[in-house]
């Protein structure tokens, strides 16, 4: 029911209808009612109609604040007015006394308790007075034989008792319903907060693939609010495949060129009156990051033991090589000793890198301008003897910011620049560019060289640990770079370039708070 239609307003409408019906019957039915005292009937009903219309208008206009005694007084006036109507219609014999039952019922709904029984008592006294009065006027029966009035009085009190019992139960049910409504609202607010703060993207769509609800994480993958939008074609195809084979695990997909890879999982949502579908979008980089934390924890325990067990024999081998060299080894032996020392250093470097990887503290991501960080990095390379024409930063939007651990960002870009110089040749030129994707709004940083590039065979294994094409490398550089990017909700990808190679770091949106 509409909140505006309260019991009091419904009763006001009933008053108006009854007054209109009585007047219409009086004027249009050759005055079949109100024939005992027509002037009293007409005056009373007309005044009652005007009074109820004025009361209803004031109630809907909210011009007056009703005091607590207004409702009981209105009900008492209703009983007295109906008493006059019954009197002008010829008493209880006229048949209009039954209207008092409605007044009694309404009084016990609106007032309750003793005041409700007061209305019933007043209606009973009115009925008894009418029977007594007309008995004295006609003189054809004993005025103290109030059988009909007594039966009406019993009916009035029975109606009061029944209505109050029903009203009490309804009131208790209303209180329980109100508590349940509050509990449901709290639960709904809690669910909304949980879904809104989830790092997993959640969308609800219908059979027409129209998105009905979407949380901020899901909107972040599309750089727009998805509620009311049509589901992207890639997800529509995945959904159709899932309908055909729900047991198959789909491969990750990219929702856009600049968005990270996501896993899309579907589930039916049956609300009871419509069939909806849920889609959960999980960032594979975040999943990989969590797996990485577990791997690093295991690697830390393992590497601490291996470092001790391997470095002791390495120290012995290195010391033995130095002793042999001191004894005046031949040219052939010196060459072999050099090989031994180089490989000892390489193994020791691998152990150091593994230990550094496992001990790396959790990044402290913060917003900072990318231009100043790259300028600082380029200045460091120029101080190391790299000419300005070999390393160039092409400035874009100087106000562009990224959210990244600053030291880790510098480490990643520095490593990429070092790789470019190491593999690009002595005349290699490196260009660092940055910008912002026009559709997703995600910032990116690219390091490109004009060297020989990366072969297709090597490109498939670039980010695998311990994979290297150099005799001096240990194969952990790019692996560590990608791990650092994933720890900062960013991606690192290799893109073929002609000539040379291009590595692109796609950062998370700077407004996104990491959890």
């Amino acid at each position: 029911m509409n909140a505006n239609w309260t019991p009091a307003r419904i009763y006001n409408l009933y008053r108006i209808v009854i007054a209109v019906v009585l007047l219409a019957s009086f004027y249009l039915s050759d005055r079949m009612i109100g024939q005992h005292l027509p002037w009293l009937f007409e005056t009373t009903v007309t005044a009652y109609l005007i009074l109820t219309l004025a009361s209803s208008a004031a109630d809907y206009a909210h011009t007056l604040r009703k005091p607590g005694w207004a409702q009981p007084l209105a009900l008492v006036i209703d009983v007295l007015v109906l008493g006059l109507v019954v009197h002008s219609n010829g008493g209880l014999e006229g048949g209009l006394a039954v209207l008092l039952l409605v007044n009694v019922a309404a009084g016990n709904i609106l007032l309750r308790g003793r005041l409700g029984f007061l209305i019933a008592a007043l209606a009973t006294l009115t009925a008894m007075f009418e029977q007594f009065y007309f008995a004295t006027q006609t003189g054809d029966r004993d005025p103290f034989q109030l059988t009909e009035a007594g039966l009406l009085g019993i009916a009035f009190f029975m109606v009061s008792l029944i209505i109050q019992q029903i009203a009490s139960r309804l009131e208790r049910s209303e209180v329980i319903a109100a508590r349940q409504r509050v509990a449901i609202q709290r639960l709904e607010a809690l669910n909304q907060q949980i879904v809104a703060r989830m790092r997993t993207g959640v969308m609800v769509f219908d059979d027409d693939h129209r998105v009905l609800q979407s949380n901020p994480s899901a909107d972040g993958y599309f750089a727009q609010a998805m509620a009311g939008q049509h589901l992207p074609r890639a997800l529509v195809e995945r959904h159709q495949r899932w309908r055909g084979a729900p047991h198959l695990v789909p491969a990750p997909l990219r929702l856009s060129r600049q968005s990270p890879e996501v896993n899309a999982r579907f589930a039916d949502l049956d609300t009871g009156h419509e069939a909806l579908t849920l889609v959960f979008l999980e960032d594979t980089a975040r999943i990989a990051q969590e797996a990485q934390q577990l791997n690093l924890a295991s690697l830390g325990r393992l590497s601490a033991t291996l470092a001790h067990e391997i470095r002791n024999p390495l120290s012995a081998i290195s010391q033995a090589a130095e002793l042999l060299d001191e004894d005046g080894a031949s040219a052939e032996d010196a060459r072999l000793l050099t090989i031994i020392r180089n490989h000892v250093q390489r193994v020791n470097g691998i152990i150091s890198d593994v230990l550094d990887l496992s001990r790396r503290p959790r990044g402290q991501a913060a917003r900072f301008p990318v231009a100043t960080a790259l300028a600082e990095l380029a200045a460091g390379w120029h101080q190391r003897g790299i000419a300005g024409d070999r390393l160039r930063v092409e400035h874009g939007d100087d106000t562009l910011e990224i959210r990244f651990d600053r030291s880790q960002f510098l480490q990643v870009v520095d490593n990429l620049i070092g790789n470019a110089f190491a593999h690009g040749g002595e005349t290699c030129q490196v260009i660092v560019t940055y910008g912002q994707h026009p559709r997703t709004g995600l910032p990116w940083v690219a390091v490109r060289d004009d060297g020989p590039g990366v072969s297709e065979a090597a490109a498939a294994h670039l980010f695998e640990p311990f994979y290297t094409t150099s005799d001096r490398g240990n194969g952990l550089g790019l692996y560590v770079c990608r791990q650092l990017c994933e720890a900062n909700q960013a991606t690192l990808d290799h893109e073929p370039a002609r000539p040379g190679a291009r590595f692109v770091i796609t950062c998370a949106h700077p407004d996104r708070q990491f959890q």
Side-chain angles (χ1 to χ4, degrees), residues 40-258:
L40 179 61
F41 185 92
E42 182 180 11
T43 303
T44 302
V45 176
T46 302
Y48 183 60
L49 178 60
I50 295 172
L51 181 63
T52 53
L53 288 173
S55 174
S56 299
D59 183 29
Y60 276 95
H62 301 285
T63 56
L64 296 175
R65 183 172 181 177
K66 292 184 179 180
W69 47 264
Q71 192 68 66
L73 178 62
L75 288 165
V76 170
I77 292 175
D78 288 346
V79 173
L80 295 179
V81 167
L82 283 178
L84 292 176
V85 170
V86 171
H87 181 77
S88 62
N89 194 48
L92 301 182
E93 300 295 336
L96 294 182
V98 71
L99 295 177
L100 289 170
L101 280 172
V102 179
N103 289 85
V104 171
N108 284 272
I109 291 175
L110 299 174
L111 299 181
R112 314 277 179 85
R114 294 180 180 179
L115 289 177
F117 288 115
L118 174 64
I119 301 301
L122 185 60
T124 302
L125 290 175
T126 301
M128 294 178 69
F129 172 79
E130 287 299 316
Q131 186 171 1
F132 179 82
Y133 175 81
F134 280 99
T136 57
Q137 292 296 316
T138 57
D140 57 351
R141 54 182 175 177
D142 187 354
F144 295 101
Q145 291 183 356
L146 304 177
T147 304
E148 187 174 355
L151 291 176
L152 273 176
I154 293 173
F156 292 152
F157 278 96
M158 290 299 296
V159 167
S160 299
L161 184 61
I162 293 172
I163 290 296
Q164 292 215 22
Q165 289 293 325
I166 295 174
S168 297
R169 292 195 176 189
L170 290 176
E171 188 177 40
R172 288 195 295 269
S173 299
E174 186 176 353
V175 170
I176 294 173
R179 291 176 180 172
Q180 291 177 343
R181 183 171 62 254
V182 171
I184 291 173
Q185 290 174 348
R186 290 174 180 170
L187 183 60
E188 183 178 0
L190 177 62
N191 290 337
Q192 289 177 350
Q193 286 292 327
I194 292 174
V195 173
R197 292 176 177 270
M198 286 176 62
R199 289 183 291 177
T200 300
V202 180
M203 291 192 299
V204 181
F205 60 91
D206 56 19
D207 290 338
D208 296 328
H209 298 105
R210 184 163 297 280
V211 179
L212 305 179
Q213 290 179 309
S214 177
N215 70 343
S217 295
D219 294 339
Y221 293 124
F222 305 94
Q224 64 174 335
M226 290 302 294
Q229 303 292 327
H230 195 271
L231 200 66
R233 184 173 185 81
L235 288 179
V236 172
E237 294 175 354
R238 287 296 176 92
H239 177 239
Q240 292 171 347
R241 279 188 236 162
W242 173 76
R243 285 294 181 195
H247 59 282
L248 295 180
V249 179
L253 76 156
R254 286 186 183 273
L255 300 174
S256 67
R257 184 175 179 273
Q258 296 296 324

Side-chain angles (χ1 to χ4, degrees), residues 22 61 64 69 142 165 211 360 366 378 389 418 420 427 435 461 488:
L22 290 176
L64 296 175
W69 47 264
D142 187 354
Q165 289 293 325
V211 179
R360 181 172 293 112
D389 59 343
T427 60
H461 306 282
N488 288 272

Side-chain angles (χ1 to χ4, degrees), residues 241-484:
R241 279 188 236 162
W242 173 76
R243 285 294 181 195
H247 59 282
L248 295 180
V249 179
L253 76 156
R254 286 186 183 273
L255 300 174
S256 67
R257 184 175 179 273
Q258 296 296 324
S259 70
E261 284 191 341
V262 297
N263 287 326
R265 296 181 294 109
F266 298 90
D268 288 323
L269 178 63
D270 188 2
T271 62
H273 58 276
E274 58 182 340
L276 304 176
T277 307
L278 280 167
V279 57
F280 300 94
L281 303 174
E282 292 183 312
D283 189 347
T284 56
R286 181 177 58 82
I287 298 174
Q289 176 188 355
E290 295 173 354
Q292 176 205 7
Q293 298 300 325
L294 296 176
N295 291 336
L296 291 181
S298 301
L299 183 61
R301 293 189 294 267
L302 178 62
S303 59
T305 303
L306 289 179
H308 177 73
E309 296 298 331
I310 295 176
R311 275 180 169 170
N312 285 340
L314 284 179
S315 298
I317 294 172
S318 180
Q319 186 177 4
E322 294 297 334
L323 291 174
L324 288 173
D325 194 25
E326 289 177 359
D327 292 339
S330 63
E332 181 64 23
D333 291 339
R335 187 179 67 83
L336 295 176
L337 290 174
T338 300
I339 294 174
I340 292 174
R341 280 194 293 267
N342 289 340
H343 283 279
V344 167
Q345 291 177 358
R346 182 180 178 186
V347 173
N348 193 59
I350 292 175
I351 293 173
S352 298
D353 288 341
V354 172
L355 285 175
D356 291 342
L357 182 63
S358 62
R359 293 171 182 170
R360 181 172 293 112
R362 183 182 180 91
Q364 299 296 324
R367 291 183 64 155
F368 60 88
V370 66
T372 58
L374 294 178
E376 175 187 333
L377 198 59
W381 277 95
H382 295 158
Q383 291 174 0
R384 283 182 268 178
I386 298 298
D389 59 343
R390 293 195 62 196
L391 175 61
R392 187 172 74 254
V393 177
E394 291 188 351
H395 293 279
D397 183 3
D398 291 340
T399 63
L400 179 65
E401 293 184 337
I402 61 174
R403 184 176 292 276
F404 214 105
D405 183 284
R406 184 182 175 88
S407 62
Q408 293 180 357
F409 173 76
L410 294 176
Q411 180 181 347
V412 171
V413 180
D414 186 76
N415 199 335
L416 294 176
I417 294 174
N419 281 352
F421 284 131
H423 297 279
E426 296 181 357
T427 60
C428 172
Q429 291 184 338
V430 178
I431 300 175
V432 182
T433 56
Y434 59 90
Q436 190 174 22
H437 193 273
R439 192 174 70 84
T440 63
L442 300 180
W444 55 267
V445 178
V447 178
R448 178 177 178 176
D449 63 74
D450 59 356
V454 181
S455 65
E456 292 185 4
H461 306 282
L462 272 179
F463 300 101
E464 294 180 4
F466 306 111
Y467 176 81
T468 179
T469 58
S470 173
D471 295 337
R472 293 175 295 177
N474 54 34
L476 287 175
L478 288 177
Y479 172 74
V480 171
C481 288
R482 173 167 277 189
Q483 297 299 310
L484 290 176

